[in-house]
């Protein structure tokens, strides 16, 4: 997924969320499509900003597309199921791990499943896709060079990094 | 994440008295540990770098536990369970984002912020914004935005501290505020963020232990989650519906504000600067998420459990939803557990207050002078002085009316989110973001948040159900950021220094 596509996706999903809010200002109350825009827009926005953070230069996100896609789907399906499934909970309802089904989808699906997927994906791909020792050394070399420049600047206070 | 307080629902202005020997003893032991850690840290704080970013010398476990501690305020222990009691599972949408926010923060911000601290001597969030856009205006504006949010947060935390200390020691609300702020001030001024971090480690551990014990107690007392659910479903099935008593729009709005908004919270983002070894970021999101889940177990279990216990008559009906946690603790749990939780609440508020004191002092002594082209000579000395002044101002403000303090506190999270998320989180990952886009979005976030919150507070305007000022301000700020950056796209390349570009490319 390219950076341009990711940014476009982020912009569109934020715009969708904004449209959902705008719909709520209608005189007859929030239309039925308003929460759906948030239910779909929020997972896509979160996924897009995570992809944006994971992208390095012009390379894509490689294997990370699977956990990202999975979590976006989990959130979207979870919110969608909560919106779409009829209310049928009562004292004799079948419980899923101690909660009625729609509540279980929210708590376990939205609240816990992503924990199993994303932090582990982050750790497993860290050296290859996020930060390696070689990357760190490149950055530290620049840091050392900047320190020397700063010492020179201290001798001449007219020099500055800021432009405005 | 849990500092966002709907007026009238979340601000706890009174707790029942918990003044019992065991509670006082645990409270005194807690404060003794805090003082000991503070003295140790004060001896190691020698430079402004030590004072504001702990000399970039914090290990992974300490940083993780400290981050958990500062992410959770007293709301998670008192107001939050009360909100669940009042509106059902809809209140869970405030904390459900914890499943994604820590790893999202890691991908989007942690690496870039920490590497920025390698190439430049940055110590604040406005520093990062100033460096990214080569702009003192952007740095100054973001500093002003953060300061406005801190004013509110400090007042509500001071008030919350006073409430808890009064509940534990029975010294009166006024004295409680001054004692709580006094102790927080002492370790903040002496040891800076280093004292804060290690106190946060102790406080975070205390909060996690208390939360897990309460969770296990509630399950045991209630006969398991299934039994608790059946009790509620028999009498109030809406409570356990996926939205509780909230509309879907309101619940989803909570999720949006507390997920995306987490990327703009300075008390959390600022801590990325402090990690000793950037390569340890590998395990940071996993550890922090697990820690946060432990601390939030109380939030869920008390809210749902107390509802069931009131419905089946094991607890008397509550005078107000905020009494959920105190009622359970003082009527059902072992007293030592109650003492731990009350100390945990004090811990949570002091942890948050310390972070904001440190950030506020940095803004006044570092960011605002830079924005005006000046530099403070002795940042450590002035940092300590300003820390004292902010704490005193917060304690005085906290003595004002509860409604005013609540108002000041409610927009903090949203203000940080709308002013900082686009410029910082997106801007550090998109070389096409421009200086004009950043300045416009920070300004838009600030103006829209303040305008909407003030008009709502003065009842000039009422939002439709499910729409909040924070959410509107955040989407406005995002859209302004993208549109203005696109309109000024020809200037993008010129606003990135080579070292910043390297950090953004890695």
């Amino acid at each position: 997924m390219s950076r341009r596509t990711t940014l476009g996706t982020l912009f569109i999903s934020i715009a969708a969320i904004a449209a959902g809010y705008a719909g709520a200002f209608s005189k007859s109350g929030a239309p039925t499509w308003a929460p759906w825009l948030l239910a779909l827009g929020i997972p896509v926005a979160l996924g897009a900003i995570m992809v944006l953070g994971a992208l390095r230069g012009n390379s894509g996100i490689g294997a990370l597309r699977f956990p990202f896609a999975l979590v976006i789907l989990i959130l979207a399906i979870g919110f969608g199921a909560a919106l779409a499934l009829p209310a049928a909970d009562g004292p004799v309802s079948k419980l899923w791990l101690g909660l009625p089904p729609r509540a279980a989808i929210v708590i376990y699906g939205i609240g816990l499943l992503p924990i199993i997927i994303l932090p582990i994906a982050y750790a497993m791909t860290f050296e290859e896709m996020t930060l390696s020792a070689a990357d760190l050394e490149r950055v530290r070399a620049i840091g050392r060079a900047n320190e020397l420049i700063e010492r020179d600047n201290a001798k001449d206070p007219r020099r500055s990094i800021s432009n405005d | 994440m849990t500092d966002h307080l709907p007026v009238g629902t979340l601000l706890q202005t009174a707790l029942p008295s918990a003044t019992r020997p065991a509670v006082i003893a645990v409270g005194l032991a807690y404060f003794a540990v805090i003082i000991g850690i503070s003295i140790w840290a004060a001896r190691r704080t020698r430079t402004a770098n030590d004072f504001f970013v702990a000399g970039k010398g914090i290990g992974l476990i300490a940083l993780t536990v400290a981050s958990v501690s500062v992410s959770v305020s007293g709301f998670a222990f008192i107001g939050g369970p009360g909100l669940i009691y009042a509106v059902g599972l809809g209140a869970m949408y405030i904390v459900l984002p914890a499943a994604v926010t820590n790893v999202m923060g890691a991908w989007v911000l942690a690496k870039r912020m920490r590497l920025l601290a390698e190439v430049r001597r940055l110590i604040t969030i406005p520093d990062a914004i100033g460096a990214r856009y080569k702009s003192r205006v952007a740095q100054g504006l973001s500093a002003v935005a953060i300061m406005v949010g801190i004013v509110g947060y400090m007042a509500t935390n001071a008030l919350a501290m006073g409430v808890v200390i009064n509940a534990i020691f029975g010294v009166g609300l006024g004295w409680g505020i001054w004692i709580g702020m006094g102790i927080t001030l002492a370790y903040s001024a002496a040891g800076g963020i280093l004292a804060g971090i290690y106190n946060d480690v102790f406080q975070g551990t205390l909060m996690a232990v208390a939360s897990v014990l309460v969770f296990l107690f509630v399950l045991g007392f209630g006969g398991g989650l299934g039994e608790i659910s059946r009790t509620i479903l028999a009498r109030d099935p809406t409570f356990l519906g996926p939205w509780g008593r909230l509309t879907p729009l309101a619940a989803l709005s909570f999720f949006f504000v507390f997920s995306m908004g987490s990327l703009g919270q300075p008390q959390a983002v600022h801590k990325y600067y402090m990690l000793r070894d950037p390569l340890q970021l590998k395990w940071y999101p996993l550890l922090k998420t697990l820690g946060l889940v432990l601390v939030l177990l109380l939030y869920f279990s008390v809210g749902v459990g107390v509802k069931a216990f009131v419905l089946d008559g094991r607890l008397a009906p509550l005078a107000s939803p905020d009494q959920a946690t105190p009622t359970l603790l003082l009527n059902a749990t072992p007293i030592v557990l109650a003492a731990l939780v009350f100390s945990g609440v004090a811990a949570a508020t002091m942890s948050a207050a310390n972070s904001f004191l440190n950030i506020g002092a940095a803004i006044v002594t570092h960011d605002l002078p830079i924005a005006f082209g000046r530099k403070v000579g002795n940042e450590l000395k002035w940092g300590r002085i300003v820390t004292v002044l902010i704490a005193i101002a917060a304690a005085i403000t906290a003595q004002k009316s509860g409604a005013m303090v609540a108002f000041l506190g409610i927009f903090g999270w949203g203000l940080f989110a709308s002013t900082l998320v686009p410029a910082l989180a997106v801007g550090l990952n998109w070389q096409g973001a421009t200086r004009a886009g950043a300045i416009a979005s920070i300004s838009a976030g600030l103006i829209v948040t303040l305008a909407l919150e003030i008009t709502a507070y003065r009842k000039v305007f009422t939002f439709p159900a499910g729409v909040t000022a924070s959410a509107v301000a955040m989407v406005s700020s995002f859209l302004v950021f993208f549109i203005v950056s696109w309109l000024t796209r020809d200037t993008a390349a010129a606003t990135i220094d080579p070292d910043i570009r390297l950090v953004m490319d890695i």
Side-chain angles (χ1 to χ4, degrees):
Chain A
M1 200 168 178
S2 73
R3 199 173 295 273
R4 180 180 287 226
T5 306
T6 306
L7 286 162
T9 305
L10 179 60
F11 178 81
I12 291 170
S13 56
I14 296 288
I17 294 168
Y21 285 132
F25 284 88
S26 150
K27 285 200 171 101
S28 49
T32 48
W33 49 260
W36 280 100
L37 285 179
L38 267 73
L40 297 173
I42 292 169
V44 173
L46 296 179
I49 205 164
M50 279 193 282
V51 169
L52 194 64
L55 283 167
R56 288 182 59 141
N58 292 323
S59 48
I61 54 173
L64 282 174
R65 64 186 182 277
F66 297 114
F68 283 144
L70 189 55
V71 169
I72 293 171
L73 273 176
I74 287 170
L75 294 181
I77 291 173
F79 290 145
L83 281 171
L85 290 175
D89 304 320
V92 296
S93 299
K94 188 171 165 57
L95 300 181
W96 295 1
L97 295 176
L99 289 172
R102 292 189 305 161
I105 289 170
V106 170
I107 301 297
Y108 302 133
I110 294 169
L112 292 181
L113 263 186
I115 296 174
I116 301 168
I117 301 167
L118 288 177
I120 293 172
Y122 181 85
M124 288 175 64
T125 60
F126 186 80
E127 282 89 5
E128 182 196 339
M129 300 206 61
T130 302
L131 185 69
S132 66
D135 293 330
L136 184 56
E137 186 44 42
R138 278 172 65 202
V139 171
R140 283 181 168 160
I142 299 290
R144 289 189 288 270
N146 279 350
E147 251 183 89
L148 290 173
I149 295 171
E150 219 180 284
R151 278 188 215 140
D152 290 341
N153 283 347
K155 294 171 191 167
D156 183 359
R158 285 170 300 173
R159 290 198 226 170
S160 171
I161 296 176
S162 289
N163 270 7
D164 67 0
Chain B
M1 84 168 16
T2 57
D3 290 311
H4 191 76
L5 310 175
V7 174
T9 306
L10 303 183
L11 182 64
Q12 182 70 29
T13 54
L15 284 175
S17 172
T19 311
R20 293 162 174 63
V23 176
I24 292 173
V26 171
L28 287 173
Y30 163 75
F31 284 114
V33 172
I34 294 295
I35 290 167
I37 293 172
S38 306
I39 293 171
W40 171 85
R43 291 186 180 144
R44 283 161 176 75
T45 299
R46 297 184 186 90
T47 66
N49 206 268
D50 293 337
F51 191 82
F52 291 119
V53 290
K56 291 188 300 193
I58 304 299
L60 175 66
I61 301 297
L63 190 73
T64 305
V65 179
S67 290
V68 170
S69 176
V70 85
S71 296
V72 177
S73 73
F75 169 72
F77 281 20
I78 303 287
L83 190 61
I84 291 185
Y85 183 87
V87 305
L89 284 191
M92 285 298 293
Y93 286 81
I94 292 174
V95 298
L96 288 176
V100 295
T101 51
N102 301 305
V103 70
M104 182 171 67
W107 262 308
V108 177
L109 284 173
K111 174 180 74 176
R112 311 239 183 264
M113 295 292 295
R114 185 59 186 82
L115 293 184
L116 282 178
E118 289 288 340
V119 298
R120 306 239 182 137
R121 268 193 279 163
L122 307 183
I123 58 174
T124 66
I125 305 303
D127 259 346
I129 290 176
R132 164 62 183 85
Y133 298 104
K134 289 171 66 172
S135 170
R136 289 198 306 242
V137 173
Q139 180 161 358
L141 260 180
S142 58
V144 167
I146 294 173
M147 203 63 209
V148 171
I150 282 177
V151 166
Y153 266 132
M154 285 304 306
T156 53
N157 274 297
L159 180 57
M161 263 189 256
V163 168
V164 171
I165 289 174
N166 178 42
I168 294 173
F169 296 108
V171 295
L173 180 60
W175 275 110
I177 290 171
W178 287 109
I179 291 169
M181 281 308 301
I183 293 174
T184 307
L185 168 62
Y187 76 75
S188 300
I193 201 67
L194 187 65
I197 289 283
Y198 285 102
N199 276 321
D200 286 348
V201 172
F202 168 61
Q203 289 160 340
T205 306
L206 172 65
M207 287 154 60
V209 168
S211 176
V212 171
L213 290 177
V214 169
F215 174 75
L216 293 174
F217 174 83
V218 167
L219 290 189
F221 193 71
L225 184 56
E227 218 27 65
I228 289 171
S229 292
R230 292 204 189 286
T231 302
I232 296 171
L233 287 171
R235 295 172 180 81
D236 189 357
T238 305
F239 183 93
L240 285 181
W243 319 106
R245 287 191 223 298
L246 297 181
T247 63
L249 197 67
L252 289 168
S253 192
F254 270 154
F255 193 96
F256 175 58
V257 169
F258 286 98
S259 58
M260 191 65 83
S262 69
L263 295 173
Q265 304 307 306
Q267 70 278 24
V269 175
H270 170 235
K271 289 198 163 33
Y272 296 139
Y273 283 144
M274 302 176 197
L275 186 62
R276 184 188 313 133
D277 179 5
L279 296 176
Q280 288 186 313
L281 283 171
K282 176 176 182 174
W283 298 110
Y284 178 77
L286 180 64
L287 292 176
K288 185 175 173 189
T289 303
L290 292 176
L292 214 45
V293 167
L294 290 181
V295 173
L296 293 174
L297 287 175
L298 184 150
Y299 182 105
F300 169 75
S301 58
V302 171
V304 174
V306 170
K307 180 70 176 181
F309 304 153
V310 168
L311 285 175
D312 68 10
R314 276 187 283 179
L315 286 178
L318 304 184
S320 76
D322 281 342
Q323 301 297 317
T325 301
T327 300
L328 178 76
L329 294 177
L330 298 174
N331 292 285
T333 69
I335 193 62
V336 174
L337 183 54
L340 273 179
V341 175
F342 276 105
S343 295
V345 177
T349 55
M350 292 173 82
S351 171
N354 162 261
S355 273
F356 287 120
L357 278 175
N358 191 271
I359 292 168
I363 283 173
V364 174
T365 58
H366 178 82
D367 295 307
L368 290 177
I370 286 176
F372 288 102
R374 299 183 185 284
K375 191 169 166 29
V376 169
N378 186 337
E379 282 187 350
L380 175 59
K381 179 185 101 175
W382 284 104
R384 285 178 161 143
I385 291 171
V386 172
T387 298
V388 172
L389 294 175
I390 294 175
I392 292 172
I396 292 171
T397 308
Q399 317 272 348
K400 304 282 180 210
S401 78
M404 170 58 76
V405 174
F407 168 68
L408 289 175
I410 58 173
F411 63 74
W413 180 280
L415 186 70
F416 293 148
S418 62
T419 52
L420 300 179
V421 174
L424 183 70
V426 181
L428 281 180
N429 293 282
W430 177 34
Q431 295 188 16
T434 64
R435 181 188 296 157
I439 291 171
S441 82
I442 295 170
S443 304
L446 192 52
I447 293 167
V448 173
T449 301
L450 289 178
L452 292 182
E453 292 288 3
I454 290 170
T455 51
Y457 177 69
R458 292 191 174 277
K459 298 188 180 8
V460 170
F461 176 77
T462 308
F463 284 103
V467 183
T468 62
S470 303
V472 173
M474 197 156 63
V475 297
S476 303
S477 175
F478 259 106
L479 295 175
V480 165
F481 179 73
F482 278 118
I483 292 169
V484 176
S485 288
W486 184 76
L487 289 171
T488 57
R489 57 193 181 278
D490 292 338
T491 67
T495 55
I496 308 178
D497 281 328
D499 56 338
I500 304 299
R501 193 183 299 276
L502 172 69
V503 168
M504 292 176 69
D505 280 340
I506 282 184

